Amino acid sequence: MSIILDHVTYTYSEKTAYEIKALDDVSLSIKDGEFIGIIGHTGSGKSTLVQHLNGLLRATSGTIYYNGQDIYDKDFNLKNMRTKVGMVFQYPEHQLFETTVFEDVKYGPKNQGLSDKEATNRAYDALADVNFPDEYFDQSPFELSGGQKRRAAIAGVLAMEPEVLILDEPTAGLDPKGQRDILNLIRRMHESSGRTIILVSHSMEDVAEYVDRIIVMDEGRVFLDGAPDYVFSHTDLLEEKGLAVPQVTYLMEELRAKGIPIEGQPTTLEMAEKEILRLHKAGVF
Amino acid sequence: MKSMINAKQLTHEFFRRDEEGNVEGISVALDHVDLDVAPGAFIAILGHNGSGKSTLAKHINALLTPSEGTLLVDGMDVSDPERTLSIRESAGMVFQNPDNQIIATVVEEDVGFGPENMGIPTDEIWQRVESALKGVGMWKYREHSPNRLSGGQKQRVAIAGVMAMEPKCIILDEPTAMLDPGGRAEVLQVAHELNRKKGITIILITHYMEEVVDADYVYVMEKGHIIMDGTPREIFSRVDDLIAHRLTVPQITLLAHRLKAAGLDIPEGILTREELIKALCP
Ligand SMILES: Nc1ncnc2c1ncn2[C@@H]1O[C@H](COP(=O)(O)OP(=O)(O)O)[C@@H](O)[C@H]1O
Ligand SMILES: Nc1ncnc2c1ncn2[C@@H]1O[C@H](COP(=O)(O)OP(=O)(O)O)[C@@H](O)[C@H]1O
Ligand SMILES: [Mg+2]
Ligand SMILES: [Mg+2]
C-alpha cells in the first residue's frame, strides 16, 4: 500500500494574519510494510504530516497518491481510504466515548457499514490482538488505567483492519512498562501482518530500537530521512533542531573520541552491548 | 531543622459514587505515606501510572486534603482551611500539559496573573515578572502570544508563572511528558538552576529515568505506598527491582548492568556516560 507525497504544502489559516506554513514542499515515498518513525521538535509539522496521510487534512498544494491513485481526484473514495489508513491520535483516550470498551471498539467497523455480527467479530479480534483482558470488555472506558485506555483506543482503530497504522506519540504519559508494552504490541502488529506502521515519537531511544526508517521533520520540511544509524550519525544537526541521539549513541561517540576503535554506529542498547563485548574480547577494555 | 514537607501516615481515599450518590467503591490513592523533604532539596518521585504521585502532589499544594494522617508544608497543616492560601503561595505547581496552564494572551500577563491574585502591588508584580521571565530565559518573549511558543517554552512560562509567586517549593508533575528532547532539557535545566541559585525546593515527578540522575533523593511509589527511597545511585542499583515495579533505569545504567553481568569489571549503579567511560577505560 504505497503512499507518495508529491510537493505537499499545507498552510493553516491561509490568507489571514495568522497564516502558518506547517508543511513546506514535502515529497516522500512510503512503501508497503515499512516501519517508519517520525521525529522532530514540537511544531515541526509531524501531526500535520500524518493527518495528510489519511486525508484528514487536504494539502494546500501538491498531491498524494495512495496505491498510485491521486487521493484528491474527484472519483477517489476518501472515506474508504480513511478506514484503510488507521490513525491513533495523541492521547487517544480522549476519543473513547461509548459506554463500554466493547461498544467503543465496535463503533469503527459499524461505521464502515459492517453488520452487527461482523462488527462484533472484528471487535473480539482487535481486543485479543492488543491483549486486552476479557473481564474489562464491559467496563466504561473511563474507568481504565492509562495503558488500558491506550490499548482500547488502538483496538478501536485495528477493528477497521487498516492497511496502514499511524500512531501519534502513543506512549506519552505512560509509565516505562506501559510504554514498552505498547511498543512491543506495535512491533508485533508489524511483524505478524506486515502492516505499514508510522510512529510519531519524542523518544530517540524508542525509534532507534523499533523502526527501520526515520523521517526527521523541521519547520515543515523533511530534514533527514534514512535508517537509524544514518540519521543518528548527525548529532550536531539533530541537537540544533531540538532533538538528540540515543544515550548509547552519545556514549559510543565519546568512546570513539577517546581513540577506541568503535565499529559502525550503534543506536540501541543491544548494539552497544555487542560492540563493547567484542572490544572486550579483543582486549581493548 | 524544619522540614519543607513533612507527611506522617498521609492517607487519601477517593470515593466512587453512583448517580444517586451511593458509595460504589473506595480507592486508596495514598496509603499511610511518611515522607520528609528538607528545604532546598531536589527530590524526584517515580512510580507506575496510578501509583498516587499526582494525589501526593495535589496535597502539597492543598488542592486535596488528607483523609487520614497529616501533611505539613513549610510548617503549615494542609488540613487547616485558613492556611490554604499561604500554602499555595509557598508551594507552586506545574502540570503536564503546557496548553492547559497558560491563560493570558501575552506571556508577561500570564506570569503576572499569580502575584496579582495574591494582591501584590503593581510595581512589585512587574519586578517579579521580570525576574521570573529572566530566570527561565524567556524575557525576550515577554510580549509574545503563548500559543506561538514551543512546548518547552510554554512550560518555562508556566514555571515562571509559579516563580513569580515566589514559592519556597515547586512541584513539577510530569512537566516533560509532552516535550521533545530539547524542551525536556530546557525544563530540567531551569528546575536545577532555581534549586541551586535560589534554594527553591523542587519535587519532580517523571517517567524519564534520565531526569532523576541529578536529584538529591528519590522516592518510588507503588499502589499508594512508598516502596523504595534513596539516592539515585542507590535506587538505580536495583535494576531488577525497578523493572519488576513497572519502572526502568537510565539506558546507560542498564547497559552497565548488562556489561557487568557479561563479566566486565564495572561497578553497579553507574548513572552517567562519564562514569561508564571511566569504568571502561580507567
Ligand atoms: N489547528 C491549527 N491551527 C493553526 N495552526 C496550527 C494548527 N495545528 C498546528 N498548527 C501549527 O502548525 C505547525 C505544525 O504543527 P504540528 O503539525 O502540530 O507539529 P508537531 O506535531 O510536530 O508538534 C505549528 O507551528 C503549529 O503551531
Ligand atoms: N479524582 C479522582 N477520583 C477517583 N479516583 C481517583 C481520582 N484521582 C485519582 N484517582 C485514583 O487514585 C489513584 C492514584 O492516582 P494518581 O495520584 O493520579 O496516580 P499517578 O499520578 O501516580 O498516576 C489511582 O488509582 C486513580 O485511579
Ligand atoms: Mg504533534
Ligand atoms: Mg499523575
Side-chain angles (χ1 to χ4, degrees), chain B residues 56-75:
Chain B
L56 175 62
K58 286 174 187 159
H59 279 77
I60 299 171
N61 193 236
L63 287 169
L64 291 173
T65 52
S67 313
E68 255 180 69
T70 55
L71 178 67
L72 302 182
V73 175
D74 197 20

Side-chain angles (χ1 to χ4, degrees), chain A residues 17-20 40-43 90-91 143 145-147 169 172-179 181 202-205 209 242-244 246-252 254-255 258 260 267-270 272-273 276-277 280 284-285, chain B residues 16 24 47-50 53 96-97 148-152 174 177-184 206-210 243 245-248 250-256 258-259 262-266 272-274 276-277 280-281:
Chain A
Y18 302 103
E19 189 169 291
I20 290 176
H41 64 83
T42 355
Q90 215 172 345
Y91 290 85
E143 288 168 10
S145 72
E169 297 183 36
L174 296 183
D175 57 41
K177 172 79 162 48
Q179 295 183 18
D181 288 349
H202 278 320
S203 167
M204 305 301 118
E205 284 78 15
E209 185 170 340
L243 300 171
Q247 285 298 318
V248 293
T249 307
Y250 281 115
L251 174 82
M252 300 313 261
E254 286 160 5
L255 285 169
K258 285 181 75 85
I260 309 280
T267 54
T268 67
L269 190 122
E270 279 70 24
E273 182 185 12
I276 292 174
L277 291 178
H280 176 60
V284 177
F285 294 126
Chain B
R16 265 183 295 117
E24 277 187 329
H48 64 83
N49 291 122
K53 303 179 299 296
Q96 188 182 85
N97 188 343
R148 290 298 188 92
L149 302 175
S150 74
E174 298 188 37
M178 302 178 73
L179 305 185
D180 53 50
R184 281 195 319 253
T206 184
H207 288 312
Y208 286 103
M209 304 297 134
E210 274 79 11
I243 291 175
H245 291 110
R246 299 187 64 88
L247 299 174
T248 183
Q251 194 179 35
I252 293 298
T253 308
L254 192 54
L255 175 62
R258 293 225 211 153
L259 291 172
L264 270 72
D265 181 19
I266 290 173
T272 62
R273 304 198 298 265
E274 292 70 39
L276 182 53
I277 291 172
L280 287 171
C281 334

Side-chain angles (χ1 to χ4, degrees), chain A:
Chain A
M1 309 308 121
S2 72
I3 303 175
I4 295 170
L5 278 74
D6 188 25
H7 298 286
V8 169
T9 292
Y10 184 79
T11 310
Y12 285 104
S13 322
E14 210 191 1
K15 300 194 180 88
T16 73
Y18 302 103
E19 189 169 291
I20 290 176
K21 200 184 259 188
L23 291 181
D24 186 4
D25 196 26
V26 172
S27 294
L28 273 179
S29 167
I30 296 169
K31 289 197 274 307
D32 197 10
E34 279 195 290
F35 193 161
I36 296 179
I38 301 183
I39 61 177
H41 64 83
T42 355
S44 59
K46 304 181 295 298
S47 297
T48 306
L49 173 65
V50 294
Q51 289 177 74
H52 277 77
L53 301 181
N54 80 339
L56 270 179
L57 289 177
R58 190 193 166 97
T60 311
S61 68
T63 191
I64 296 175
Y65 298 92
Y66 187 74
N67 293 331
Q69 288 183 290
D70 182 341
I71 70 167
Y72 301 136
D73 203 282
K74 62 180 186 333
D75 298 330
F76 188 83
N77 188 342
L78 254 184
K79 182 164 182 274
N80 182 37
M81 188 186 77
R82 269 179 211 148
T83 69
K84 291 197 170 145
V85 183
M87 173 98 149
V88 179
F89 289 91
Q90 215 172 345
Y91 290 85
E93 48 272 35
H94 298 164
Q95 289 165 264
L96 298 167
F97 54 90
E98 290 284 348
T99 47
T100 69
V101 170
F102 200 79
E103 287 305 314
D104 214 285
V105 176
K106 257 173 79 177
Y107 178 85
K110 273 199 336 217
N111 209 28
Q112 274 176 295
L114 295 187
S115 71
D116 191 69
K117 187 155 167 268
E118 284 169 308
T120 301
N121 286 338
R122 290 274 193 95
Y124 270 116
D125 290 346
L127 284 162
D129 273 350
V130 302
N131 293 335
F132 195 88
D134 308 10
E135 61 264 36
Y136 297 149
F137 281 11
D138 291 326
Q139 284 230 345
S140 154
F142 304 100
E143 288 168 10
L144 304 172
S145 72
Q148 306 284 31
K149 280 185 194 163
R150 295 283 161 95
R151 268 168 210 277
I154 294 174
V157 173
L158 281 181
M160 295 187 274
E161 299 195 340
E163 295 164 346
V164 179
L165 183 62
I166 303 172
L167 304 108
D168 197 350
E169 297 183 36
T171 59
L174 296 183
D175 57 41
K177 172 79 162 48
Q179 295 183 18
R180 196 115 306 248
D181 288 349
I182 294 288
L183 289 169
N184 286 338
L185 169 74
I186 295 167
R187 174 185 273 164
R188 230 185 38 241
M189 233 133 252
H190 178 245
E191 285 170 356
S192 66
S193 64
R195 235 180 227 121
T196 307
I197 308 264
I198 298 170
L199 171 72
V200 179
S201 174
H202 278 320
S203 167
M204 305 301 118
E205 284 78 15
D206 289 347
V207 289
E209 185 170 340
Y210 286 87
V211 312
D212 303 321
R213 170 180 170 195
I214 299 174
I215 295 173
V216 185
M217 295 296 294
D218 180 56
E219 295 185 7
R221 291 169 174 267
V222 174
F223 174 66
L224 284 172
D225 180 352
D229 58 348
Y230 166 75
V231 167
F232 289 135
S233 63
H234 297 82
T235 310
D236 293 344
L237 283 178
L238 290 169
E239 285 184 352
E240 263 171 47
K241 304 299 181 191
L243 300 171
V245 302
Q247 285 298 318
V248 293
T249 307
Y250 281 115
L251 174 82
M252 300 313 261
E253 279 181 11
E254 286 160 5
L255 285 169
R256 187 177 278 143
K258 285 181 75 85
I260 309 280
I262 304 286
E263 272 179 15
Q265 184 69 4
T267 54
T268 67
L269 190 122
E270 279 70 24
M271 291 159 108
E273 182 185 12
K274 222 170 123 196
E275 179 62 5
I276 292 174
L277 291 178
R278 181 187 72 81
L279 292 163
H280 176 60
K281 286 207 186 77
V284 177
F285 294 126

